[in-house]
Amino acid sequence: MKPTYGRVSRNGVITASWSLDHIGAFTRSVQDNAIVLEAIAGQDELDPFTLPLGKPDLTSALEHPVSGMVIGLPSNFFQTNEPAILLALESAIAVLEKLGMQWKKVTLPSYMEETFAAHRTVMRAEAAAFHQERFAEASDRYGHTMREQLELGYQTSAVDYLQAQRIRTIFRSEMMMLFDEVDVLLTPSTPYVALMATRLAARSSTDRLPMQGYRPSPFPSDSIQPPGSHCLSACNLLVHS
């Protein structure tokens, strides 16, 4: 579960990106997740980015009917030919249809590549700012990939960062307009099935997973963070409440 930005305190969590970080729980069921989120959500004086909202009553909300709600299936995002991924998506849609939900194709903003680039810029710059002192003292203690990303972050100019935030704001605004047509957005969480443990064990520390079709931002919710929205996995279901 990826709650609305600021719904859960980030106090005590090492920062990856101040304006992108969310705190959520992995659970075996939606009901378990509702129970956990009820416990951890709320304003925290130790995290100035938390929202001034009370504890949500999510377990009661689980009883609300979803019949008549409309699912949006983005036609220009996370396209994959993996049979297992396609089957999982079709199965999810079938379950939601049995519950009375309808679906329609929707189109995300056309400048997705620019948005992903902006996401990388913001993430790298904010991570570099957080790690600046300790990275200067002990950069050799960072892994290769992390060190590479932080070094790119230190090369980011203020102009680049502000332009990225501008693109992000425009993208958020246009994404919010989609919720005039649909209640939720549904996509796969990943274009690939999980690797077998034996294959993972055989990989060296410098091996990279296949990246074709991969996006650094798993779902537009990373960039838009609309108030009252939540992202549910394994198939990403972005819910605007």
Side-chain angles (χ1 to χ4, degrees):
M1 174 69 168
K2 184 174 185 177
T4 298
Y5 180 78
R7 200 68 177 94
V8 178
S9 173
R10 295 177 298 116
N11 179 46
V13 178
I14 293 178
T15 297
S17 172
W18 283 292
S19 67
L20 292 171
D21 288 350
H22 300 63
I23 305 301
F26 285 96
T27 60
R28 293 184 178 274
S29 70
V30 173
Q31 184 177 29
D32 286 349
N33 214 297
I35 293 171
V36 173
L37 187 55
E38 282 182 350
I40 65 176
Q43 190 171 14
D44 180 4
E45 62 181 13
L46 298 178
D47 180 1
F49 294 99
T50 50
L51 300 173
L53 301 172
K55 294 285 185 181
D57 183 9
L58 299 175
T59 49
S60 297
L62 294 178
E63 304 301 324
H64 294 175
V66 296
S67 179
M69 294 181 68
V70 180
I71 306 166
L73 299 178
S75 59
N76 59 334
F77 182 76
F78 241 148
Q79 298 174 354
T80 177
N81 294 319
E82 284 275 357
I85 300 298
L86 294 173
L87 179 60
L89 183 61
E90 291 170 0
S91 299
I93 294 172
V95 170
L96 296 173
E97 283 183 319
K98 287 182 179 180
L99 294 174
M101 298 182 75
Q102 305 168 20
W103 64 271
K104 62 180 292 186
K105 292 284 187 179
V106 295
T107 302
L108 301 186
S110 59
Y111 47 93
M112 296 294 290
E113 292 299 329
E114 292 84 349
T115 302
F116 286 124
H119 177 276
R120 289 191 293 271
T121 297
V122 172
M123 175 70 78
R124 289 167 177 166
E126 294 187 358
F130 177 80
H131 289 274
Q132 185 174 16
E133 183 176 338
R134 57 177 60 86
F135 188 80
E137 296 174 351
S139 62
D140 58 315
R141 298 183 64 181
Y142 286 78
H144 171 76
T145 300
M146 184 65 177
R147 187 166 60 249
E148 182 182 76
Q149 294 302 310
L150 290 177
E151 287 171 349
L152 288 171
Y154 292 126
Q155 298 171 24
T156 302
S157 69
V159 172
D160 291 338
Y161 180 79
L162 291 175
Q163 288 285 23
Q165 291 287 18
R166 174 177 169 272
I167 292 172
R168 180 181 177 186
T169 299
I170 296 171
F171 182 73
R172 179 193 294 120
S173 177
E174 295 195 14
M175 283 291 295
M176 289 296 290
M177 292 172 62
L178 283 177
F179 290 105
D180 292 335
E181 306 175 36
V182 299
D183 298 293
V184 301
L185 295 175
L186 177 67
T187 78
S189 291
T190 171
Y192 301 105
V193 296
L195 295 179
M196 297 295 291
T198 50
R199 183 180 174 188
L200 284 173
R203 291 175 60 235
S204 71
S205 60
T206 57
D207 285 344
R208 292 182 180 272
L209 297 177
M211 299 294 282
Q212 183 179 1
Y214 174 76
R215 299 300 188 192
S217 170
F219 196 66
S221 57
D222 269 353
S223 300
I224 61 172
Q225 300 166 345
S229 68
H230 316 286
C231 190
L232 310 172
S233 294
C235 281
N236 277 323
L237 185 65
L238 182 62
V239 183
H240 180 233
S241 57

